[in-house]
């Protein structure tokens, strides 16, 4: 049977264009090497082509039964199946050559084919991503995207313990470094034998393009600096973002902020995230236009969005970059005690920006989201961070993706919401169950609005209310609230930009 599964995997690779038919004997031998087998029997495949997930599972099961895995955890299985896929993934030079020839046709042709390739090599595990829970919640600010992330596997306790005991390594320096391409991985670092990256020149410097293995939205890409250098929001970031959308006008691109609490999960390596997707924030209209002296050719205004966003639009690069830099410089040093805005306390800077760039109707757009990581005794996790009452749904940092209107929620919610639904339907005491206790106050707050709850509608009800919580999360993260006073304070800041 193992020969059958090897032939199926090679057939899959040929069918997806990862290898050519003439590569078949070579590919079989590569897989035999990974499987530590010396012999192969050519078999007739009479059944329908099998799904990649099923083929890999059969090969991993065989390897595990022969003791090739150090335990049968999800971590070990992922290390092994990536090694298998690496055996049939083309070398970087071939992938780069294909991308460049496709780019000569059009940037979209290049990214379309590269994105498909990243899924075909199983670097993007499509069968896991398809398990994510996704829905849309309608709000006054537009349609917010909600996803419960199930594609990133939960490590079991044994795997976590083993990773802690594993020798520490400084290679690669982080999960983004270019040295990850082709890396075999270890217990505390993902295998990347099937990972291929595309070199780019951004603002005259060496960068690389890849896709996120978790693909939170369509063509979720990561663009990272060729050097392991920390995140820093400055004028050069605006130049790089605009340069990227000049090269890939069908993509947006944005950067996480560069301070803890309001930044992303990796602050040690400069990178951006982008893709081919219109978030709710991108669709949000200008609520109040504003003009900056000396920038008559730049359209500007406050966005109708729960977070504090300035949108700039211009046909030319230099004016929009210059104005963005002036806004950033002013915001870095801005203090308004009455509005709870402090540039610095005890020597710690608080103000930064989450910038997003796109091209729309031939014009460059920059969305500048004002951020502050100020903490207070009442809100030790951050004044402009999800407040404690919302942590039962979302307590992680509000990064670039959430800022734009997509909630990436933890996998625990799948189990917890099933228990909450059952508890509501059976009129159970939610506080007595560890799975539902943290959600009890929330349920008591919204349930009176639904006098007749049925099993048929309970999931839709919970989905809507989770979306409402995310709406409140974004409002918490906004430094200027969507109130008359908040707008006056926002305008007061804009008037200081020179």
């Amino acid at each position: 049977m193992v020969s059958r599964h090897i032939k199926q995997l090679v057939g899959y690779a040929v069918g997806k264009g990862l290898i050519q038919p003439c590569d078949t004997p070579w590919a079989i031998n590569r897989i035999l090497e990974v499987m530590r087998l010396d012999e192969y029997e050519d078999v007739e495949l009479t059944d329908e082509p099998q799904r990649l997930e099923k083929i890999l599972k059969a090969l991993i099961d065989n390897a595990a039964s022969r003791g090739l895995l150090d335990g049968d955890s999800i971590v070990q299985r992922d290390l092994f199946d990536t090694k298998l896929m690496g055996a049939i993934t083309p070398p970087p030079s071939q992938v780069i050559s294909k991308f460049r020839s496709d780019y000569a046709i059009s940037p979209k042709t290049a990214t379309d084919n590269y994105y498909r390739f990243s899924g075909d090599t199983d670097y993007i595990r499509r069968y896991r991503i398809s398990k994510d829970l996704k829905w849309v919640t309608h709000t006054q600010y537009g349609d917010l995207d909600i996803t419960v992330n199930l594609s990133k596997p939960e490590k079991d306790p044994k795997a976590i313990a083993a990773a802690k005991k594993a020798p520490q390594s400084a290679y690669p320096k982080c999960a983004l470094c270019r040295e990850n391409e082709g890396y075999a991985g270890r217990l505390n670092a993902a295998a990347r034998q099937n990972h291929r990256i595309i070199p780019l020149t951004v603002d005259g410097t060496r960068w690389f393009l890849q896709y996120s293995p978790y693909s939170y939205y369509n063509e979720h890409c990561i663009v990272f600096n060729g050097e392991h250098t920390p995140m820093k929001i400055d004028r050069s970031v605006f130049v790089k973002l605009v340069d990227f959308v000049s090269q890939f006008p069908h993509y947006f691109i944005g950067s996480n902020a560069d301070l803890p609490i309001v930044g992303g999960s990796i602050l040690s390596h400069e990178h951006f995230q982008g893709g081919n997707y219109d978030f709710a924030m991108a669709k949000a209209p200008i609520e109040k236009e504003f003009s900056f002296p000396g920038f008559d050719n730049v359209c500007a205004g406050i966005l109708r969005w729960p977070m504090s966003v300035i949108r700039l639009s211009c046909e030319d690069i230099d004016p929009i970059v210059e104005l963005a830099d002036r806004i950033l410089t002013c915001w870095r040093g801005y203090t308004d005690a009455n509005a709870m805005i402090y540039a610095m306390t005890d020597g710690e800077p608080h103000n930064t920006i989450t910038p997003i760039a796109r091209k729309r109707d031939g014009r460059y757009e920059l969305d500048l989201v004002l951020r502050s990581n100020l903490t207070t005794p009442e809100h030790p996790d951050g004044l402009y961070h999800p407040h404690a009452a919302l942590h039962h749904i979302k307590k992680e940092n509000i990064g670039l993706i959430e800022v734009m209107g997509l909630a990436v929620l933890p996998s625990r919610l799948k189990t917890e919401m099933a228990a909450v639904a059952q508890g509501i339907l059976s009129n159970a005491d939610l506080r007595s169950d560890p799975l539902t206790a943290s959600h009890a106050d929330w349920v008591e707050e919204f349930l009176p609005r639904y006098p007749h709850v049925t099993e048929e509608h309970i999931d839709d009800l919970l989905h809507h209310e989770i979306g409402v919580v995310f709406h409140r999360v974004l409002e918490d993260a906004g430094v200027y609230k969507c109130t008359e006073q908040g707008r006056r304070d926002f305008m007061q800041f804009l008037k200081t930009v020179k």
Side-chain angles (χ1 to χ4, degrees), residues 52 132 255 281:
L52 178 61
D132 288 349
S255 175
M281 194 183 84

Side-chain angles (χ1 to χ4, degrees), residues 137-156:
T137 298
H138 306 293
T139 75
Q140 68 189 83
Y141 300 107
D143 293 343
L144 300 182
D145 293 306
I146 315 295
T147 179
V148 177
N149 175 30
L150 304 176
S151 56
K152 191 172 184 178
E154 297 285 343
K155 294 182 180 180
D156 61 54

Side-chain angles (χ1 to χ4, degrees), residues 280-299:
M281 194 183 84
K283 301 173 186 176
I286 295 290
E287 179 182 291
K288 185 173 181 61
E289 294 183 351
F290 189 88
S291 60
F292 292 90
F295 292 91
D296 296 339
N297 56 346
V298 180
C299 298

Side-chain angles (χ1 to χ4, degrees), residues 16-17 83 143 153 201 239 292 306 331 344 371-372 406 433 454:
K16 295 297 184 181
K83 191 174 184 179
D143 293 343
T201 299
V239 175
F292 292 90
W331 179 243
M344 186 175 293
R371 311 298 303 274
S372 168
L406 191 158
D433 185 344
T454 65

Side-chain angles (χ1 to χ4, degrees), residues 444-476:
E444 289 178 1
E445 185 271 328
F446 75 69
L447 200 56
R449 297 197 292 271
Y450 302 92
H452 305 292
V453 180
T454 65
E455 185 174 359
E456 181 181 1
H457 298 112
I458 186 67
D459 287 342
D460 289 340
L461 181 159
L462 289 175
H463 285 176
H464 175 75
E465 291 299 330
I466 289 172
V468 170
V469 169
F470 181 56
H471 174 184
R472 292 171 59 191
V473 162
L474 294 179
E475 290 180 328
D476 283 351

